[in-house]
Amino acid sequence: MTDTYTHSYGNWVRAALLITVITPYLNGCNSSGTTALNNTNDTTPVTPTSVAATPTPTPPPTIAAAPSVDAPAIAAATVTNSATTTSQRFSLVSSSGQVVDSSSLNQTKTVSIGSSGAAGRPEASEALGADTMPLTDTELATIKTTTPTAAARIINESILGFDSRFHVNPYGYPQRAVSLITYNGSTHCTGWLVSADTLVTAGHCVHSGGANGRWGSPSAFKIYPGFSDGYAPYGSCQPRETYSSYGWITSADSDADVGVIKLDCAIGKATGYFSYFVAAQTDNTAITINGYPGDKADANEQWGSTGVISRSTPAKLYYDNDTTGGMSGAPVWLQHNDTAWSLGIHTTGENLLSRGTNSGTRISQDVFDLITAVKELP
């Protein structure tokens, strides 16, 4: 009896060690084959060597006022001095090599107010700089089903039990402010507007992560706000510049998995855009995640999932929303007084050390500063 117990215990220890070793290779973001861009672009990793001057903030564009400016009941956190809480990993880095230390941004805000848009008029798209040419059959054919990562296949694509996702017609606010992101014509990720010309997504949607990673070429991206069933009512825009955090591009730090895209259009004036904020507390908060999962209609439709944040850390949120490949970069948001408030960025599927939850980057003060810095650039 003792020998049997000892033998079983030894097997258990070896199994535990095996799980510990392989878990880093099984952690998966839900952007599937789009993760890391597969080094398909011809740019080289940024090696930051100097700090650029802090950009001078400019007033936000004149747009229709948001229905409400009241923060959600889970009130925003008390403003803290960014210089005392940040670290180099949260420096803002652009694909062209500019580096801005977020401690120099001197942000004094924890809340950014969104807009419901100019009545969501698609006819305004061309005047706002969007490409309004309808997608050709060839272009539609290249937007293919996202292939799940190895980790997603092992854990059933991060569907946590019964698949509770629902189809969304993104014709109203805020759903029309959620965008399909393609790279070289193929399904890539999800993003969400935070100003007329600023889109938030996951860091791994713009850079493959780590010192050996690569930036996605800006000319290879297309952003389609409110994309639905092959129809792009607001046309498409492209990046003027892409941004991520120093921590993500140098060490693939999952706590700093955030990407921001400055667009060549002002389409947010038509679609509206999300509010975002630094929440003082998040646990037990009911949330929604909207995105473009590759396993639904060849990623041609927007789908949503509701759930609850079960736990959090200063940098991460963990929730029971169902997500699959293609939804990385989606907003983790809640509705308050007709305004959509985002408190996180969906990035990662379930893994062996966090069973029963998917997760995302929390909008901490550092992440808030990164997003706001790009938003306020001219």
Side-chain angles (χ1 to χ4, degrees):
M1 185 68 170
T2 302
D3 290 342
T4 300
Y5 174 81
T6 302
H7 180 69
S8 299
Y9 180 80
N11 287 339
W12 183 89
V13 171
R14 283 190 291 274
L17 288 173
L18 178 60
I19 290 173
T20 302
V21 170
I22 68 172
T23 293
Y25 300 96
L26 296 180
N27 286 340
C29 84
N30 285 149
S31 65
S32 69
T34 65
T35 306
L37 300 175
N38 297 321
N39 293 340
T40 55
N41 61 81
D42 56 5
T43 59
T44 55
V46 171
T47 305
T49 56
S50 62
V51 176
T54 304
T56 302
T58 58
T62 301
I63 41 78
S68 168
V69 295
D70 295 329
I74 53 169
T78 302
V79 175
T80 56
N81 186 341
S82 178
T84 63
T85 61
T86 193
S87 60
Q88 187 182 30
R89 66 178 177 165
F90 284 104
S91 293
L92 176 68
V93 184
S94 73
S95 57
S96 60
Q98 183 186 34
V99 183
V100 178
D101 185 344
S102 62
S103 67
S104 69
L105 299 177
N106 297 317
Q107 297 286 348
T108 58
K109 299 179 292 183
T110 59
V111 174
S112 177
I113 305 300
S115 165
S116 58
R121 295 195 302 269
E123 63 270 18
S125 298
E126 187 171 0
L128 295 172
D131 179 358
T132 56
M133 288 294 292
L135 278 72
T136 66
D137 291 341
T138 301
E139 288 173 320
L140 286 172
T142 60
I143 301 178
K144 299 177 181 178
T145 300
T146 305
T147 304
T149 61
R153 284 193 293 272
I154 290 172
I155 57 178
N156 196 27
E157 299 184 341
S158 297
I159 299 299
L160 308 172
F162 175 76
D163 188 350
S164 63
R165 292 173 296 169
F166 50 89
H167 179 235
V168 174
N169 289 317
Y171 306 132
Y173 173 84
Q175 290 79 9
R176 63 183 178 230
V178 177
S179 302
L180 170 68
I181 302 174
T182 65
Y183 189 76
N184 283 330
S186 298
T187 301
H188 184 57
C189 279
T190 298
W192 42 287
L193 289 157
V194 294
S195 79
D197 64 353
T198 309
L199 188 88
V200 175
T201 186
H204 63 255
C205 294
V206 297
H207 186 281
S208 52
N212 295 321
R214 293 177 182 269
W215 287 99
S217 174
S219 62
F221 288 97
K222 276 196 174 183
I223 290 89
Y224 299 90
F227 189 83
S228 179
D229 198 21
Y231 175 53
Y234 298 94
S236 65
C237 303
Q238 290 190 281
R240 283 192 282 140
E241 184 68 281
T242 56
Y243 300 83
S244 189
S245 68
Y246 185 84
W248 178 255
I249 71 163
T250 57
S251 59
D253 182 353
S254 64
D255 286 353
D257 189 356
V258 55
V260 191
I261 299 175
K262 198 69 171 177
L263 301 175
D264 65 355
C265 67
I267 199 62
K269 290 183 178 180
T271 62
Y273 46 84
F274 281 78
S275 300
Y276 59 98
F277 71 117
V278 182
Q281 60 84 21
T282 61
D283 292 3
N284 301 315
T285 300
I287 55 167
T288 301
I289 296 176
N290 286 72
Y292 290 89
D295 64 332
K296 296 288 189 182
D298 291 343
N300 274 310
E301 295 176 349
Q302 189 179 132
W303 285 68
S305 175
T306 56
V308 174
I309 297 174
S310 57
R311 65 185 181 90
S312 60
T313 69
K316 301 286 285 187
L317 301 173
Y318 297 88
Y319 35 78
D320 60 0
N321 300 64
D322 290 321
T323 60
T324 60
M327 294 184 74
S328 278
V332 179
W333 64 283
L334 55 90
Q335 191 90 14
H336 178 67
N337 289 350
D338 299 323
T339 299
W341 294 83
S342 179
L343 58 161
I345 307 163
H346 173 65
T347 59
T348 312
E350 181 187 26
N351 62 65
L352 295 179
L353 295 184
S354 183
R355 300 303 301 269
T357 62
N358 296 312
S359 61
T361 301
R362 181 174 184 168
I363 297 181
S364 62
Q365 185 66 56
D366 292 317
V367 173
F368 182 96
D369 288 351
L370 295 186
I371 296 171
T372 304
V374 179
K375 174 187 162 185
E376 293 181 348
L377 288 172

